[in-house]
Amino acid sequence: MSEAFGFREFGGPETHVFFDRPDPVPGPAEVLIRVTAAGVNPSDYKLRAGMAPALYEGRPFPQVLGGEAAGVVLDVGADVEGLAVGDSVFGSALTGAGTYADTTVLHGSYTARKPEGLRDDWAAAIPVAVTTALDAVDQLDLPRGATVLISGVGGGVGLVTAQVARDRGLRVIGTGSTAKRNAAEALGVTFVDYTSGDVPAQMRTLVPGGVDGVVDLVGGPSLRTLAPLATHREKVVSAADPTVADLGGAMVIRRADRADLERAADLLVEGRIDPHITSYPFAQAAEALALVEGGHALGKVVIDMTTAAA
């Protein structure tokens, strides 16, 4: 049996529940892992709220939260190549099995071996936060010296995106709340506090001619306010809001396959990216998710699954 944290029906935090479930059985393309760390993402509470009910069709509640994890392989599906029992790995649970649990199944093609020197909590941040940042900056394909604007720069994806952009020789401007200023500025980001006034006016002072690219991590009104600041609308990408297409931009094209995971891991091991982890024990999984859901998380939130829930 596996202890898990999830939700007993679609809704808000009141639906959260710890429960036991049988260890999942990996399919031919999957690996079963003992989870050591699980990443927390906005998609977790959105799925709990009923954003994609078809994902859970035909599956009884309660459902397990979470979509990314690090851990140790316990079993390998017949079609999985390059992974073996006992390997330390990290990857995505595109299977819908959830990762806030003692054991789960990951998709073999979206799982990679964890290199020596990479902490489990850092590895658990890679499948969503780090690869999203890499994919976004890759997609913009801006030349060295260009200026990129990142909305929501203080979150789990935002701080990594700032570091990837800086590593590519880009000038980085980022928007966020006052509490995120110090962390962003420590990375060399020119910070714009959206709580202190008219963001477009602040931006026109900083870059009168506009920015070369925009990475939107917030969506909604923020996207519609910031997209016009790009000198070319096709250089606006969003990881949060598909209506970016209506503005001439595009959603971030996600990969997160094994090659992408390995590339991201190398950047962390080399010290070129720090995911800025805030770790919670498994017993405080609800508090970890609440921090992300409230928009107050600085950097990436990870659940330490090596601590007992009760």
Side-chain angles (χ1 to χ4, degrees), residues 273-296:
I273 292 175
D274 179 343
H276 289 261
I277 298 295
T278 299
S279 182
Y280 281 78
F282 187 27
Q284 295 179 16
E287 289 90 333
L289 185 56
L291 186 65
V292 173
E293 187 166 6
H296 302 304

Short mmCIF file of all heavy atoms in Angstrom, two decimals, residues 273-296:
data_model
loop_
_atom_site.label_atom_id
_atom_site.label_comp_id
_atom_site.label_asym_id
_atom_site.label_seq_id
_atom_site.Cartn_x
_atom_site.Cartn_y
_atom_site.Cartn_z
N ILE A 273 21.94 27.18 -12.71
CA ILE A 273 20.55 27.45 -12.31
C ILE A 273 20.35 26.97 -10.88
O ILE A 273 20.78 25.87 -10.52
CB ILE A 273 19.55 26.73 -13.23
CG1 ILE A 273 19.56 27.33 -14.63
CG2 ILE A 273 18.13 26.79 -12.65
CD1 ILE A 273 18.68 26.60 -15.61
N ASP A 274 19.70 27.80 -10.08
CA ASP A 274 19.27 27.44 -8.73
C ASP A 274 17.74 27.54 -8.72
O ASP A 274 17.20 28.63 -8.93
CB ASP A 274 19.87 28.41 -7.71
CG ASP A 274 19.44 28.12 -6.27
OD1 ASP A 274 18.45 27.40 -6.07
OD2 ASP A 274 20.08 28.65 -5.35
N PRO A 275 17.02 26.43 -8.51
CA PRO A 275 15.56 26.49 -8.57
C PRO A 275 14.89 27.16 -7.37
O PRO A 275 13.67 27.30 -7.34
CB PRO A 275 15.16 25.02 -8.67
CG PRO A 275 16.26 24.29 -8.02
CD PRO A 275 17.52 25.05 -8.32
N HIS A 276 15.69 27.58 -6.37
CA HIS A 276 15.14 28.30 -5.21
C HIS A 276 14.02 27.50 -4.54
O HIS A 276 12.86 27.89 -4.53
CB HIS A 276 14.66 29.69 -5.61
CG HIS A 276 15.76 30.64 -5.94
ND1 HIS A 276 16.26 31.59 -5.06
CD2 HIS A 276 16.49 30.78 -7.06
CE1 HIS A 276 17.23 32.27 -5.63
NE2 HIS A 276 17.40 31.79 -6.84
N ILE A 277 14.40 26.38 -3.95
CA ILE A 277 13.45 25.42 -3.38
C ILE A 277 12.97 25.85 -2.00
O ILE A 277 13.76 26.25 -1.14
CB ILE A 277 14.10 24.03 -3.27
CG1 ILE A 277 14.48 23.49 -4.65
CG2 ILE A 277 13.18 23.06 -2.54
CD1 ILE A 277 13.32 23.23 -5.56
N THR A 278 11.66 25.75 -1.79
CA THR A 278 11.07 25.77 -0.47
C THR A 278 10.47 24.39 -0.25
O THR A 278 9.62 23.95 -1.02
CB THR A 278 9.97 26.83 -0.34
OG1 THR A 278 10.52 28.13 -0.58
CG2 THR A 278 9.34 26.80 1.05
N SER A 279 10.93 23.68 0.79
CA SER A 279 10.53 22.29 1.00
C SER A 279 9.58 22.16 2.18
O SER A 279 9.75 22.82 3.22
CB SER A 279 11.78 21.43 1.25
OG SER A 279 11.42 20.08 1.39
N TYR A 280 8.57 21.31 2.00
CA TYR A 280 7.61 21.01 3.05
C TYR A 280 7.62 19.50 3.30
O TYR A 280 7.72 18.72 2.34
CB TYR A 280 6.19 21.41 2.64
CG TYR A 280 5.88 22.88 2.77
CD1 TYR A 280 6.33 23.78 1.83
CD2 TYR A 280 5.12 23.36 3.84
CE1 TYR A 280 6.05 25.15 1.94
CE2 TYR A 280 4.82 24.71 3.96
CZ TYR A 280 5.29 25.59 3.01
OH TYR A 280 5.00 26.92 3.12
N PRO A 281 7.48 19.06 4.54
CA PRO A 281 7.32 17.63 4.79
C PRO A 281 5.97 17.14 4.26
O PRO A 281 5.03 17.94 4.09
CB PRO A 281 7.40 17.51 6.31
CG PRO A 281 6.97 18.86 6.82
CD PRO A 281 7.45 19.84 5.80
N PHE A 282 5.88 15.85 4.00
CA PHE A 282 4.65 15.29 3.45
C PHE A 282 3.44 15.62 4.31
O PHE A 282 2.35 15.87 3.79
CB PHE A 282 4.83 13.77 3.30
CG PHE A 282 3.70 13.06 2.60
CD1 PHE A 282 2.90 13.71 1.68
CD2 PHE A 282 3.48 11.71 2.85
CE1 PHE A 282 1.87 13.03 1.02
CE2 PHE A 282 2.46 11.03 2.19
CZ PHE A 282 1.66 11.69 1.29
N ALA A 283 3.61 15.65 5.62
CA ALA A 283 2.50 15.95 6.51
C ALA A 283 1.91 17.33 6.25
O ALA A 283 0.76 17.60 6.61
CB ALA A 283 2.95 15.84 7.97
N GLN A 284 2.69 18.22 5.63
CA GLN A 284 2.22 19.57 5.35
C GLN A 284 1.97 19.79 3.86
O GLN A 284 2.11 20.88 3.33
CB GLN A 284 3.24 20.58 5.87
CG GLN A 284 3.39 20.57 7.38
CD GLN A 284 4.43 21.56 7.88
OE1 GLN A 284 4.84 22.47 7.18
NE2 GLN A 284 4.87 21.36 9.11
N ALA A 285 1.55 18.73 3.19
CA ALA A 285 1.27 18.85 1.75
C ALA A 285 0.20 19.90 1.47
O ALA A 285 0.29 20.64 0.49
CB ALA A 285 0.84 17.49 1.20
N ALA A 286 -0.82 19.98 2.32
CA ALA A 286 -1.88 20.96 2.11
C ALA A 286 -1.33 22.38 2.20
O ALA A 286 -1.70 23.26 1.41
CB ALA A 286 -2.99 20.76 3.14
N GLU A 287 -0.43 22.62 3.16
CA GLU A 287 0.17 23.95 3.30
C GLU A 287 1.04 24.28 2.10
O GLU A 287 1.07 25.43 1.63
CB GLU A 287 1.00 24.01 4.59
CG GLU A 287 0.18 24.02 5.87
CD GLU A 287 -0.10 22.61 6.41
OE1 GLU A 287 -0.12 21.64 5.61
OE2 GLU A 287 -0.30 22.49 7.63
N ALA A 288 1.76 23.28 1.59
CA ALA A 288 2.60 23.50 0.41
C ALA A 288 1.75 23.93 -0.79
O ALA A 288 2.08 24.89 -1.50
CB ALA A 288 3.38 22.23 0.08
N LEU A 289 0.66 23.23 -1.01
CA LEU A 289 -0.21 23.57 -2.14
C LEU A 289 -0.89 24.91 -1.92
O LEU A 289 -1.06 25.70 -2.86
CB LEU A 289 -1.26 22.47 -2.34
CG LEU A 289 -2.17 22.65 -3.56
CD1 LEU A 289 -1.37 22.79 -4.84
CD2 LEU A 289 -3.15 21.47 -3.66
N ALA A 290 -1.27 25.22 -0.67
CA ALA A 290 -1.91 26.50 -0.38
C ALA A 290 -0.99 27.67 -0.69
O ALA A 290 -1.43 28.73 -1.17
CB ALA A 290 -2.34 26.55 1.08
N LEU A 291 0.32 27.49 -0.44
CA LEU A 291 1.27 28.56 -0.73
C LEU A 291 1.30 28.85 -2.23
O LEU A 291 1.31 30.02 -2.65
CB LEU A 291 2.67 28.16 -0.24
CG LEU A 291 3.76 29.22 -0.34
CD1 LEU A 291 3.46 30.40 0.57
CD2 LEU A 291 5.12 28.62 0.01
N VAL A 292 1.30 27.80 -3.03
CA VAL A 292 1.29 27.99 -4.48
C VAL A 292 -0.06 28.54 -4.95
O VAL A 292 -0.12 29.46 -5.77
CB VAL A 292 1.61 26.65 -5.18
CG1 VAL A 292 1.45 26.78 -6.70
CG2 VAL A 292 3.03 26.20 -4.84
N GLU A 293 -1.13 28.00 -4.42
CA GLU A 293 -2.46 28.43 -4.85
C GLU A 293 -2.71 29.90 -4.49
O GLU A 293 -3.40 30.61 -5.23
CB GLU A 293 -3.52 27.54 -4.21
CG GLU A 293 -4.93 27.81 -4.73
CD GLU A 293 -5.92 26.72 -4.35
OE1 GLU A 293 -5.55 25.78 -3.58
OE2 GLU A 293 -7.07 26.77 -4.83
N GLY A 294 -2.14 30.35 -3.39
CA GLY A 294 -2.32 31.74 -2.99
C GLY A 294 -1.44 32.71 -3.74
O GLY A 294 -1.57 33.93 -3.56
N GLY A 295 -0.53 32.20 -4.56
CA GLY A 295 0.35 33.07 -5.34
C GLY A 295 1.48 33.67 -4.53
O GLY A 295 2.14 34.60 -4.99
N HIS A 296 1.75 33.12 -3.35
CA HIS A 296 2.76 33.71 -2.47
C HIS A 296 4.09 32.96 -2.48
O HIS A 296 5.03 33.35 -1.78
CB HIS A 296 2.23 33.77 -1.04
CG HIS A 296 0.96 34.56 -0.91
ND1 HIS A 296 0.85 35.87 -1.32
CD2 HIS A 296 -0.27 34.20 -0.43
CE1 HIS A 296 -0.39 36.29 -1.09
NE2 HIS A 296 -1.09 35.30 -0.56
#
